[in-house]
Amino acid sequence: MTEVLSLALPFFGLILLGFASGRLVQLPESGLAWLNYFIIYIALPPLFFQLVSRTPFEQLANGRFILITTMATAVTFWLAIGAGLWLRRGNLAEAAIAGTVGAYANVGYMGPGLTLAALGTSAAVPTALIFTFDSALFFAAVPFLMALSGIEKESRLVMALKVVQRVFTHPFIVATILGVISAAFQVRPPAAVDKILDYLANAAAPCALFTLGVTVALRPLASVPPEIPAVVGIKLIIHPLIAWLLLSAVGGFEPVWIYTALLMAALPPRAQCLCHGAPVRGLCRAIIGRHSRRHARLHRDRHNAPLYDPARHDRAEPFPMRTTMPRPLEGVLVADFTTLLPGPLATLMLAEAGAEVIKIERPGGEDVRRFPPFQNGGSASFAILNRGKKSLIADLKNEDDKSEVWALVERADVLVEQFRPGVMERLGFGYDAVRARNPKIVYCSISGYGQSGPRRTEAGHDINYIGATGLLSLAPGPVDRPTVPPGLIADIGGGTMPAVTNILLALLGRQKSGQGTHIDIAMADAMFTFAWYALATYHTTGRNPGPGELRHNGGSARYQLYPTSDGKIVACGALEQHFWLSFSKAIGLPDALIDDERDAQATAETVRKIIASKSAAHWQPIFAKADCCVTIMATLEEALRDPHFIERGLFAYQVALPGGGTMPALPVPIAPQFRSEAKAVAAPSLAAKKG
């Protein structure tokens, strides 16, 4: 019993110390990425080199041990893949990840450090052999399975060459090979270098255990994937049982070698690889990722953060492919209390960048679920604004439901709400109450006029915000038939975009300070930003710009809409002089009217008559040749068929609709390298309590 305690207490004591530090000390998480980098790339390679190089060479060539342990891992790997195929309904890519988690002791590269901490230096050689050959097995098998599943697109030859290169450039394997060479030729590094290697080697296991504790404290599992029970059983019971049976059947091994094999076989699986929405491709590349001098950007599952090279983008592809980097917001948990457009679009953009967004909806669902158009029994409007999110149905006036919501809010990184000021406080989820339970939370409130000021509780929609700020007055259309703007400028430009920008700034600031913040987004505020030219004019001249006076609002012949003879519209944006001269020449504008400052109205009327004399088909090639910032206005249907936008991949992403079928997802301004692969992803269903 004393021996067990002497082994377990230091082992779990360091983990507990890390856990307590993560819970009690408010420090930015960015340091954890550097600590992982130190463990994986700085400390563990010297540990392997020192232990292997100081071992008699004849012990390193134990072919029977290598064959048996690798065989046990391979059998376990295929068992876990079988379980993954069954639970994921034949999805080979996700099954491959389940196989890796269920058989590989080194996802996150903690296995060797933990084994050596438990069994001491006498376990160095079997640990190094198991790690080296298990890694080679997985580096070969996983990309092969990904290629079969269609995720990895390279040819067999290219994939084989990459596997060989990555196996022999992995820092652990390189260190092991150098250690074998050192042992074979009995060559040691210079004394000073040897001392540095010892310092680094001695730091590996304590740092690994401490980091494991911090990781558990800061990154609790958001949900339990269906593979977990099967994978845990395979990893903790079947894998060590197979290893023990094979080693016992062959016999002739030192006890510490058997203990090492059993312990590495029984190390717990890395469950985060199946949680937090970790993408299959990202984990695949984490296993076989190339090692360079640049480290991956901080994310929630950083133990698997390899050093990535961006994937080549083939311009012939019909849609953009992700690079090999993880999505920037993977591991960020968002509690989404918003409805309608501004907030849901903001959290959609966060979800597209990798965040896990859980939408809190009242019983019956939010209002947009009942907005037309409908397809297959569901709202298409709701589907395109909530692609890839989850849903938590809760009555915030019910204490049991509130407890469930609090469980989410307490571990969330971001909370987004869109009620009128004061509503969240009345519901019990105001910023002060939330901050008391979760000091690191980034709390974003989106409202029409903000959380302060005389108009804070005033009702409004997009048209009210652009009307109240003077923006609408710059181009309202004719007085007798005013024109409603075609876009929801305040909702998106004043609500969604500022919310996303400030949430990302707050997350970046939290990495430095360790503290969250309350962000007050008023949709009306940013409308003054859109009126930048009018403000510059007013503040310099003291004159209020009237409707259609400014050059960008209809006051210039150079920036106008001109009808053609067949009812189409020419959108002219020839503001700069060289564009204006090219345009004037292309349409045959009389020389006396080219200087539009003399009589802007006469120039505009003449241009209008010239354009109206011909069809759009006549003008299209002329303007294309002139290259003068003039286009024929397209209908939405025509724009959806434009080869340019198709090649750019704007419509390649799909949203799965309830009842079956798909439709193109809403294009969002998130660069493709920060998104998942273009595929169909569903909006949350209302059927389940938590989707």
Side-chain angles (χ1 to χ4, degrees):
M1 185 62 182
T2 302
E3 293 180 358
V4 173
L5 289 176
S6 65
L7 174 64
L9 288 179
F11 184 87
F12 289 104
L14 283 169
I15 297 175
L16 182 60
L17 183 61
F19 180 84
S21 299
R23 285 290 189 183
L24 299 177
V25 181
Q26 301 295 326
L27 289 176
E29 292 187 29
S30 54
L32 194 58
W34 282 109
L35 188 54
N36 278 307
Y37 182 86
F38 171 79
I39 295 167
I40 297 170
Y41 300 107
I42 307 299
L44 281 175
L47 174 63
F48 277 95
F49 173 81
Q50 293 293 74
L51 295 175
V52 173
S53 65
R54 292 170 178 172
T55 301
F57 179 72
E58 58 273 11
Q59 292 186 25
L60 300 175
N62 196 327
R64 293 186 309 149
F65 183 80
I66 295 169
L67 178 63
I68 289 172
T69 53
T70 306
M71 183 184 300
T73 300
V75 171
T76 307
F77 177 62
W78 289 108
L79 286 173
I81 284 179
L85 284 171
W86 178 60
L87 291 167
R88 289 292 183 176
R89 299 181 181 179
N91 188 319
L92 182 57
E94 294 186 2
I97 301 308
T100 303
V101 176
Y104 192 34
N106 306 296
V107 175
Y109 305 113
M110 293 298 172
L114 302 184
T115 303
L116 294 171
L119 299 178
T121 57
S122 60
V125 175
T127 299
L129 292 177
I130 291 172
F131 175 82
T132 299
F133 287 93
D134 275 10
S135 296
L137 169 67
F138 284 96
F139 290 174
V142 172
F144 172 72
L145 291 172
M146 294 298 172
L148 288 180
S149 71
I151 285 185
E152 295 294 333
K153 303 294 184 182
E154 287 126 339
S155 66
R156 290 186 181 91
L157 177 60
V158 171
M159 182 61 70
L161 291 174
K162 284 188 176 181
V163 167
V164 171
Q165 179 228 342
R166 288 163 180 171
V167 166
F168 287 101
T169 58
H170 192 288
F172 289 3
I173 295 178
V174 170
T176 301
I177 292 173
L178 292 176
V180 171
I181 294 172
S182 176
F185 294 97
Q186 298 183 350
V187 177
R188 296 297 306 164
V193 174
D194 203 37
K195 193 68 174 176
I196 292 174
L197 293 176
D198 278 338
Y199 286 152
L200 293 173
N202 290 333
C207 288
L209 293 168
F210 179 84
T211 304
L212 180 60
V214 175
T215 302
V216 172
L218 297 183
R219 305 167 193 160
L221 295 181
S223 58
V224 179
E227 301 97 330
I228 288 293
V231 165
V232 168
I234 290 170
K235 187 72 186 77
L236 299 185
I237 300 174
I238 296 179
H239 192 182
L241 180 60
I242 293 173
W244 179 76
L245 290 173
L246 291 175
L247 289 168
S248 299
V250 174
F253 299 106
E254 293 289 333
V256 71
W257 286 54
I258 297 176
Y259 298 156
T260 300
L262 295 182
L263 180 55
M264 291 196 74
L267 286 172
R270 186 69 192 279
Q272 280 101 330
C273 297
L274 298 172
C275 299
H276 301 305
V280 171
R281 171 179 283 226
L283 185 54
C284 168
R285 293 193 185 273
I287 296 169
I288 64 172
R290 181 180 175 185
H291 303 279
S292 70
R293 290 187 181 133
R294 293 183 300 111
H295 63 83
R297 179 60 67 183
L298 180 70
H299 64 104
R300 193 126 178 147
D301 197 18
R302 291 179 206 87
H303 290 313
N304 293 318
L307 309 182
Y308 295 106
D309 278 345
R312 295 188 304 274
H313 178 65
D314 186 351
R315 295 183 63 86
E317 289 282 350
F319 53 82
M321 295 296 293
R322 276 189 64 195
T323 66
T324 59
M325 68 177 68
R327 291 189 288 171
L329 297 182
E330 282 177 8
V332 172
L333 178 61
V334 179
D336 181 6
F337 287 80
T338 65
T339 63
L340 303 175
L341 175 60
L345 181 53
T347 57
L348 171 67
M349 292 170 64
L350 300 178
E352 292 290 341
E356 179 184 8
V357 177
I358 299 181
K359 187 177 181 68
I360 294 93
E361 298 187 70
R362 65 173 182 264
E366 73 141 297
D367 290 340
V368 178
R369 286 188 182 272
R370 290 170 285 280
F371 281 13
F374 299 100
Q375 185 169 338
N376 295 334
S379 168
S381 300
F382 179 85
I384 64 172
L385 287 174
N386 293 282
R387 178 181 185 266
K389 302 178 188 178
K390 301 176 182 178
S391 181
L392 175 62
I393 307 302
D395 179 357
L396 296 183
K397 297 178 181 179
N398 178 285
E399 290 303 319
D400 290 338
D401 285 5
K402 286 182 70 172
S403 297
E404 190 170 358
V405 174
W406 268 119
L408 167 64
V409 169
E410 286 174 349
R411 59 189 177 87
D413 298 286
V414 178
L415 183 152
V416 188
E417 62 94 3
Q418 195 182 298
F419 296 109
R420 287 201 208 184
V423 173
M424 284 292 277
E425 283 77 8
R426 291 197 296 272
L427 293 172
F429 291 93
Y431 175 65
D432 290 338
V434 170
R435 184 178 183 275
R437 298 197 187 194
N438 185 354
K440 290 187 175 183
I441 199 161
V442 173
Y443 190 111
C444 180
S445 298
I446 304 173
S447 61
Y449 297 100
Q451 301 298 302
S452 60
R455 305 182 80 156
R456 61 189 290 269
T457 60
E458 185 177 318
H461 277 301
D462 187 280
I463 199 166
N464 307 116
Y465 309 137
I466 63 175
T469 54
L471 182 64
L472 185 58
S473 72
L474 301 176
V479 176
D480 59 334
R481 55 182 190 282
T483 303
V484 176
L488 297 175
I489 302 171
D491 279 4
I492 298 176
T496 297
M497 296 301 184
V500 172
T501 301
N502 284 279
I503 286 169
L504 297 179
L505 290 173
L507 289 173
L508 183 62
R510 190 180 70 178
Q511 290 183 14
K512 298 178 180 180
S513 69
Q515 294 296 313
T517 190
H518 185 194
I519 302 167
D520 178 8
I521 301 295
M523 287 180 269
D525 287 0
M527 297 306 94
F528 291 100
T529 309
F530 281 85
W532 65 275
Y533 190 64
L535 288 172
T537 301
Y538 177 79
H539 289 313
T540 54
T541 67
R543 185 178 61 83
N544 182 54
E549 286 187 11
L550 298 177
R551 62 191 319 217
H552 295 98
N553 303 119
S556 170
R558 303 184 181 204
Y559 203 86
Q560 278 284 357
L561 300 175
Y562 297 110
T564 63
S565 63
D566 56 345
K568 301 281 188 177
I569 292 179
V570 169
C572 177
L575 284 170
E576 293 81 2
Q577 184 67 9
H578 63 286
F579 288 136
W580 174 246
L581 293 176
S582 295
F583 172 72
S584 299
K585 181 179 179 181
I587 67 171
L589 185 66
D591 291 346
L593 295 172
I594 291 177
D595 185 358
D596 57 324
E597 291 186 0
R598 292 180 181 177
D599 189 342
Q601 185 175 355
T603 298
E605 285 302 319
T606 302
V607 172
R608 192 178 309 278
K609 291 177 181 178
I610 294 173
I611 297 297
S613 67
K614 303 291 183 181
S615 68
H618 169 82
W619 292 118
Q620 177 70 44
I622 293 174
F623 295 143
K625 183 178 180 180
D627 190 25
C628 55
C629 298
V630 180
T631 56
I632 306 298
M633 184 184 75
T635 65
L636 181 60
E637 183 180 13
E638 289 167 343
L640 292 173
R641 293 201 303 262
D642 190 320
H644 172 79
F645 300 122
I646 293 173
E647 184 180 328
R648 294 277 297 167
L650 268 67
F651 318 121
Y653 296 85
Q654 300 284 310
V655 58
L657 298 170
T662 63
M663 64 179 286
L666 181 66
V668 292
I670 303 295
Q673 64 265 35
F674 300 140
R675 302 177 70 181
S676 62
E677 289 78 12
K679 60 182 181 180
V681 177
S685 168
L686 196 58
K689 180 79 172 175
K690 185 174 181 179

